[in-house]
């Protein structure tokens, strides 16, 4: 039986990956940690949980030994817009935290999943159907930390035989735990605004194309790559994964299929717009499809329907 540890288990990605891991592998076999302990209380209560700063290697090592952990999902990181406001802290958390996990993994022989991002690309990267292996010269501190993270993970694999694997996530859209401080957050916020106010003021320009993914596909990607047959993996850190690419105008048009009176206006955030403009429009994900069978289920229409239904249902329950 596997014993899994999730670092950063209460964030947007962590909360849903942890829930699914506990469903698949059993509550007692999935140990959760996070720097906070005041959200997602049901998730915390459903199995072992420790309050932990991801840079605290000593405590992490004790938890890994106590629970005989063999696989770590390292999900603690600052997102792009927050990172841009405090580059030193972002480096410290995004790289210091990852290094801490890799060192424990090396000593205790654990496999490690680390999310990279579309942010690992920059303005000199081919923008359309961005290849798996291409130029990576990002201009945001978030992107710089993601490229460094990819290289560090490959380094631990080649030098110490640590079984490191990762994917380059598009903007992740979900309704359980909000993202925070990301450039792609608009694509989540827009659904809440559509249901609640029938209007959204978007911080990116209407024709800004970016890759996006719905949470069930993102969870499936993280777990599938860690369960994949290692002999088939030619790449490791990190695989492009694509699911859908759209701009705010496209998303607004799909929302109008369900909320016809919905309107969108724009108040551009120059920092976030510059970050978005430096990222690809859409990735090519052939390597992930061939090497570990990546295949997303949701398109923009299915996701829009599901997000609006979920948020509306929740709103009605609150009103009742
Ligand atoms: N969603 C992230 C962000 O916007 C990108 O991976 O920062």
């Amino acid at each position: 039986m596997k014993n899994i540890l999730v670092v950063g288990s209460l964030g947007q990605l962590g909360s849903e990956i942890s829930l699914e891991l506990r469903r698949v592998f059993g509550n007692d076999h999935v140990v959760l940690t996070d720097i906070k302990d005041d959200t997602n209380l049901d998730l915390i209560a459903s199995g072992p949980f420790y309050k932990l700063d991801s840079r605290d290697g000593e405590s992490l090592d004790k938890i890994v030994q106590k629970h005989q952990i063999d696989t770590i999902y390292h999900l603690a990181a600052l997102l792009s817009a927050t990172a841009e406001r405090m580059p030193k802290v972002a480096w410290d958390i995004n790289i210091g935290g990852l290094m801490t996990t890799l060192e424990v993994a090396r000593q205790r022989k654990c496999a490690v999943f680390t999310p990279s991002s579309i942010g690992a690309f920059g303005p000199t990267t081919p923008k359309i159907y961005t290849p798996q292996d291409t130029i990576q010269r990002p201009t945001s501190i978030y992107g710089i930390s993601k490229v460094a993270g990819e290289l560090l993970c490959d380094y631990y694999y080649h030098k110490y035989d640590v079984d490191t694997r990762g994917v380059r996530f598009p903007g992740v859209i979900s309704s359980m735990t909000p993202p925070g401080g990301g450039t792609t957050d608009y694509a989540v916020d827009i659904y809440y605004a559509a249901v609640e106010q029938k209007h959204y003021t978007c911080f990116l320009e209407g024709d800004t194309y970016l890759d996006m993914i719905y949470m069930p596909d993102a969870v499936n990607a993280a777990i599938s790559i860690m369960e994949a047959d290692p002999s088939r993996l030619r790449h490791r850190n990190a695989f492009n994964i694509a699911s859908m690419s759209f701009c705010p105008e496209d998303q607004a048009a799909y929302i109008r299929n369900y909320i016809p009176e919905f309107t969108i206006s724009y108040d551009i955030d120059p920092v976030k717009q510059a970050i978005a403009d430096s990222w690809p429009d859409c990735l090519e994900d052939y390597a992930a499809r061939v090497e570990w069978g990546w295949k997303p289920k949701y398109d923009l229409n299915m996701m829009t329907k599901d997000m609006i239904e979920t948020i509306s249902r929740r709103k009605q329950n609150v009103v009742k």
Side-chain angles (χ1 to χ4, degrees):
M1 192 63 187
K2 279 178 101 81
N3 288 317
I4 298 170
L5 180 104
V6 184
V7 177
S9 64
L10 303 184
Q12 187 201 13
L13 266 176
S15 57
E16 300 213 31
I17 290 179
S18 300
L19 198 64
E20 180 62 5
L21 286 171
R22 283 194 164 168
R23 193 188 67 75
V24 174
F25 296 101
N27 290 356
D28 293 340
H29 292 275
V30 181
V31 178
L32 307 186
T33 72
D34 202 282
I35 196 157
K36 50 186 191 291
D37 61 359
D38 56 355
T39 57
N40 297 93
L41 299 181
D42 289 347
L43 180 62
I44 291 178
S46 67
F49 175 86
Y50 296 87
K51 192 171 176 186
L52 177 86
D53 184 317
S54 63
R55 295 159 291 184
D56 177 357
E58 213 175 297
S59 303
L60 181 68
D61 190 40
K62 282 192 191 133
I63 298 167
V64 164
Q65 286 194 73
K66 178 171 176 206
H67 292 272
Q68 298 179 333
I69 297 298
D70 50 62
T71 305
I72 304 175
Y73 285 72
H74 181 87
L75 307 176
L78 294 191
L79 292 183
S80 56
T82 307
E84 215 51 36
R85 280 204 313 276
M86 34 187 180
K88 193 179 172 309
V89 178
W91 182 263
D92 205 30
I93 292 174
N94 292 12
I95 292 300
L98 175 59
M99 192 77 181
T100 303
T101 287
L102 288 170
E103 266 303 291
V104 171
R106 173 176 75 78
Q107 286 161 30
R108 306 295 165 204
K109 307 211 176 318
C110 303
V112 179
F113 173 82
T114 312
S116 185
S117 159
I118 51 173
F121 298 114
T124 50
T125 304
K127 243 179 153 29
I128 311 283
Y129 295 119
T130 305
Q132 171 66 40
D133 302 305
T134 186
I135 301 165
Q136 289 186 266
R137 305 282 296 175
T139 44
S140 69
I141 189 68
Y142 175 75
I144 295 167
S145 76
K146 286 296 172 189
V147 175
E150 290 186 8
L151 294 172
L152 256 183
C153 289
D154 272 346
Y155 181 79
Y156 270 73
Y157 170 64
H158 290 298
K159 190 167 171 107
Y160 301 119
D161 208 22
V162 178
D163 184 358
T164 55
R165 308 179 189 191
V167 298
R168 294 180 183 132
F169 277 123
V172 180
I173 294 167
S174 65
S175 59
M176 181 171 156
T177 308
T183 302
T184 56
D185 291 9
Y186 92 82
V188 178
D189 301 343
I190 195 172
Y191 289 122
Y192 286 89
V195 171
E196 280 152 21
Q197 288 111 38
K198 319 279 179 232
H199 178 80
Y200 179 62
T201 306
C202 185
F203 58 72
L204 293 184
E205 281 162 13
D207 59 356
T208 309
Y209 277 86
L210 289 168
D211 269 298
M212 301 282 177
I213 189 170
Y214 197 32
M215 184 59 93
D217 283 326
V219 169
N220 179 39
I223 298 177
S224 301
I225 192 178
M226 291 314 284
E227 295 301 304
D229 173 358
S231 69
R232 285 178 61 196
L233 300 181
R234 271 207 323 110
H235 298 83
R236 278 180 167 267
N237 302 287
F239 284 90
N240 283 4
I241 55 169
S243 175
M244 54 185 107
S245 167
F246 58 78
C247 64
E249 283 296 328
D250 293 341
Q251 200 179 6
Y254 276 86
I255 289 173
R256 269 181 224 114
N257 289 336
Y258 301 95
I259 305 175
E261 62 275 39
F262 176 69
T263 54
I264 186 166
S265 61
Y266 296 92
D267 181 12
I268 306 308
D269 177 324
V271 173
K272 291 179 183 164
Q273 187 64 49
I275 294 174
D277 288 343
S278 76
W279 290 352
D281 286 3
C282 61
L283 303 187
E284 172 275 297
D285 62 358
Y286 183 71
R289 288 174 187 261
V290 168
E291 293 177 40
W292 50 277
W294 162 242
K295 197 169 186 284
K297 287 201 183 88
Y298 284 85
D299 60 19
L300 176 54
N301 185 45
M302 287 164 72
M303 175 177 78
T304 298
K305 183 170 185 290
D306 203 52
M307 281 294 285
I308 290 175
E309 281 174 3
T310 308
I311 296 167
S312 306
R313 211 179 309 123
R314 209 176 291 153
K315 197 179 160 198
Q316 275 167 11
N317 288 342
V318 171
V319 172
K320 268 182 199 163

